Amino acid sequence: MNMMFNLVVVVQVISALSIIALVLLQHGKGADMGAAFGSGASGSLFGATGSSNFMSKSTGVAAAIFFGATLALSLMANQRATTVGGGVMDKVVKPVPVTGAGAIPTTLPAAPAASAPAAAAPVASTPAGAIPK
């Protein structure tokens, strides 16, 4: 399965590079990369009009291969994710409980007995309307 995955990745990279090259080689309205190589000349390998058709069809084929490889990679990645099974939290290692002298107690100690409330300190009061100093 891993070898098949790597093969599809290589096919996808090669098709992506060929798309880039074919798009750059096609001549447009101005002097593009294709015109520099003489693809606009009538005495070229593919003829005066044959070059654009050949380049366009080659780009379409490379794009179809690229999309097919992308679809295959997504299906393989989806299949890998479901065969492993479980979620992220299923892989968490649960701690081993510590027993003995170093263990943290799980119950709280008993609260001390409630005693009578302490007497409140007297609050100095100011007469109404007076400004405190």
Side-chain angles (χ1 to χ4, degrees), residues 42-114:
S42 62
S44 66
L45 178 65
F46 304 111
T49 59
S51 174
S52 64
N53 288 338
F54 174 76
M55 292 288 196
S56 298
K57 288 180 182 180
S58 299
T59 306
V61 169
I65 292 171
F66 179 80
F67 288 134
T70 303
L71 181 64
L73 284 175
S74 67
L75 291 175
M76 286 181 192
N78 189 22
Q79 186 179 11
R80 269 189 188 176
T82 56
T83 56
V84 173
V88 174
M89 294 304 292
D90 292 338
K91 297 179 179 95
V92 174
V93 178
K94 296 180 180 167
V96 178
V98 178
T99 57
I104 299 173
T106 57
T107 59
L108 295 174

Side-chain angles (χ1 to χ4, degrees), residues 8-18 66 69:
V8 175
V9 168
V10 168
V11 167
Q12 186 180 30
V13 169
I14 291 172
S15 65
L17 292 175
S18 66
F66 179 80

